[in-house]
Amino acid sequence: MPANAQPRPRRSALYLPASNARAIEKARGLPCDIVVLDLEDAVAPEAKAGAREAAVAALEQGGFGHREVAVRVNGIDTEWGAHDLAALARSKADAVLVPKVACTQDIGRYHEALEGAPEAMQLWAMIETCGSVFNLEPIAAMAASTRLSLWIMGTNDLAKEMRARLTPQRTPFLPFLAQAVAAARLHGLTILDGVCNEFRDLDVFEAEARQGLEFGFDGKSLIHPAQVAPCNTVFSPDAEELDWARAVIAAFDLPENAGKGAIRVDGKMTELLHLDQARQVLAVAHQIAAIG
Ligand code: COA
Ligand code: MG
């Protein structure tokens, strides 16, 4: 699969505590592309075992339609991690999302823990530790030899570890976000931006989602139903982008442009690389149209 191509839209990934039955029911009807049932940070220690059972039961029950369903497990070295992984390996989850990855060995251990799982089950990883900052490329390279297929940025945990401030502009994290996107693209991973904790102010949310789009993220992780629609809008090609894509494709199709590498479209230099981008825009639009 070429870098930056993915088989389905992954604009919006909504987290919810797996212990929250009402939220699970609600998620089945929300227009998010991905549902992440959380067993980790959003679940208190005394509720961990019940949340695990609830997640497996929800997967068994289904009803999530076109949405991919992932379960975020507790870390493999916590007292719940091994139980979570064993239960999920036998479940109907599309993906197991693993937290606090710091090095290639971490991915290797999670991959092994899913050894008996269905072949289609993917391994997704949270990128949220100081260790991962220095190992982005080797961790991404694990996609070639393991189930690893997607990253989610964990900006809250990273801010905690770095003792940095998570401001609306996210200045302390920008170099890291760009590096992570580059590493993911290099190895064909899908990459989703971190959450915006501000779920009441959708202007703040939208600005952050747009920043993620500009950085190249495929989508964003979310914590509240109100964030889903604006997130989908930001990460869907808009009318202007679609017009541009169609114009570029039409221009390169003209007989007088046959065999040319650089042409003029709407007064701008347009190269074959832009033709690739234009096709990618239309491919994403088709994927979105296909899920209704
Ligand atoms: N997924 C699905 N439904 C959700 C939801 C979510 N993440 N968050 C809230 N809802 C539902 C509520 O159940 C409620 O449903 P109802 O009106 O039918 O009863 C409705 O949306 C409105 O919720 P609201 O009152 O605005 O939010 P809240 O104050 O109850 O909860 C949070 C706020 C942040 C605690 C909650 O949104 C949440 O738990 N988010 C996910 C946290 C998480 O998973 N974190 C881990 C990753 S960082
Ligand atoms: Mg975290």
Side-chain angles (χ1 to χ4, degrees), residues 40-41 72 100 126 128 157:
E40 200 221 9
D41 286 344
R72 185 167 75 173
K100 301 181 176 68
M126 298 296 302
E128 56 184 347
D157 261 298

Side-chain angles (χ1 to χ4, degrees), residues 43-155:
V43 177
E46 50 278 14
K48 295 281 190 194
R52 183 192 306 133
E53 276 175 33
V56 171
L59 289 160
E60 199 55 47
Q61 195 185 336
F64 293 96
H66 62 80
R67 299 162 196 79
E68 282 180 289
V69 186
V71 179
R72 185 167 75 173
V73 295
N74 291 284
I76 198 162
D77 292 321
T78 66
E79 61 178 291
W80 311 283
H83 292 298
D84 289 352
L85 287 158
L88 268 304
R90 294 189 300 268
S91 78
K92 293 187 172 157
D94 293 304
V96 174
L97 173 61
V98 301
K100 301 181 176 68
V101 164
C103 58
T104 57
Q105 287 85 349
D106 289 346
I107 296 292
R109 291 175 70 204
Y110 283 112
H111 176 75
E112 272 172 34
L114 295 176
E115 203 178 5
E119 208 178 322
M121 193 181 283
Q122 304 164 62
L123 175 60
W124 293 356
M126 298 296 302
I127 297 297
E128 56 184 347
T129 66
C130 290
S132 68
V133 171
F134 300 98
N135 292 318
L136 287 171
E137 195 279 330
I139 294 172
M142 294 294 283
S145 56
T146 67
R147 296 170 186 263
L148 180 66
S149 61
L150 180 148
W151 277 356
I152 300 185
M153 306 312 293
T155 32

Side-chain angles (χ1 to χ4, degrees):
M1 196 162 64
N4 209 24
Q6 53 180 18
R8 56 203 306 164
R10 282 164 165 165
R11 300 163 296 176
S12 47
L14 179 64
Y15 285 106
L16 45 108
S19 49
N20 185 340
R22 187 166 180 81
I24 293 180
E25 195 41 49
K26 204 149 181 131
R28 288 187 168 103
L30 292 170
C32 52
D33 294 331
I34 297 172
V35 173
V36 182
L37 305 175
D38 192 20
L39 307 182
E40 200 221 9
D41 286 344
V43 177
E46 50 278 14
K48 295 281 190 194
R52 183 192 306 133
E53 276 175 33
V56 171
L59 289 160
E60 199 55 47
Q61 195 185 336
F64 293 96
H66 62 80
R67 299 162 196 79
E68 282 180 289
V69 186
V71 179
R72 185 167 75 173
V73 295
N74 291 284
I76 198 162
D77 292 321
T78 66
E79 61 178 291
W80 311 283
H83 292 298
D84 289 352
L85 287 158
L88 268 304
R90 294 189 300 268
S91 78
K92 293 187 172 157
D94 293 304
V96 174
L97 173 61
V98 301
K100 301 181 176 68
V101 164
C103 58
T104 57
Q105 287 85 349
D106 289 346
I107 296 292
R109 291 175 70 204
Y110 283 112
H111 176 75
E112 272 172 34
L114 295 176
E115 203 178 5
E119 208 178 322
M121 193 181 283
Q122 304 164 62
L123 175 60
W124 293 356
M126 298 296 302
I127 297 297
E128 56 184 347
T129 66
C130 290
S132 68
V133 171
F134 300 98
N135 292 318
L136 287 171
E137 195 279 330
I139 294 172
M142 294 294 283
S145 56
T146 67
R147 296 170 186 263
L148 180 66
S149 61
L150 180 148
W151 277 356
I152 300 185
M153 306 312 293
T155 32
N156 277 321
D157 261 298
L158 192 65
K160 177 185 163 209
E161 280 203 11
M162 288 171 60
R163 297 187 206 158
R165 304 294 147 92
L166 202 48
T167 60
Q169 295 75 26
R170 303 197 292 175
T171 315
F173 306 98
L174 299 184
F176 177 57
L177 295 177
Q179 294 270 354
V181 171
R185 295 288 169 240
L186 185 61
H187 294 288
L189 292 168
T190 297
I191 182 163
L192 307 184
D193 200 356
V195 300
C196 177
N197 299 329
E198 183 60 73
F199 64 86
R200 294 284 180 229
D201 188 335
L202 291 177
D203 291 338
V204 169
F205 171 79
E206 196 184 319
E208 191 178 298
R210 284 208 178 279
Q211 184 189 43
L213 176 81
E214 284 168 12
F215 269 71
F217 286 99
D218 296 297
K220 188 167 176 66
S221 39
L222 312 175
I223 50 165
H224 193 274
Q227 296 178 326
V228 175
C231 188
N232 284 346
T233 301
V234 167
F235 285 96
S236 302
D238 61 19
E240 196 183 326
E241 220 176 344
L242 290 171
D243 286 347
W244 169 83
R246 291 193 192 102
V248 169
I249 290 167
F252 273 105
D253 275 346
L254 292 173
E256 62 264 35
N257 289 332
K260 287 191 187 162
I263 60 173
R264 192 181 67 197
V265 179
D266 283 343
K268 291 204 188 87
M269 184 201 53
T270 305
E271 299 179 308
L272 287 171
L273 70 92
H274 298 111
L275 179 60
D276 288 344
Q277 286 178 323
R279 289 188 178 131
Q280 173 68 14
V281 167
L282 292 191
V284 170
H286 280 130
Q287 291 166 3
I288 292 166
I291 60 169

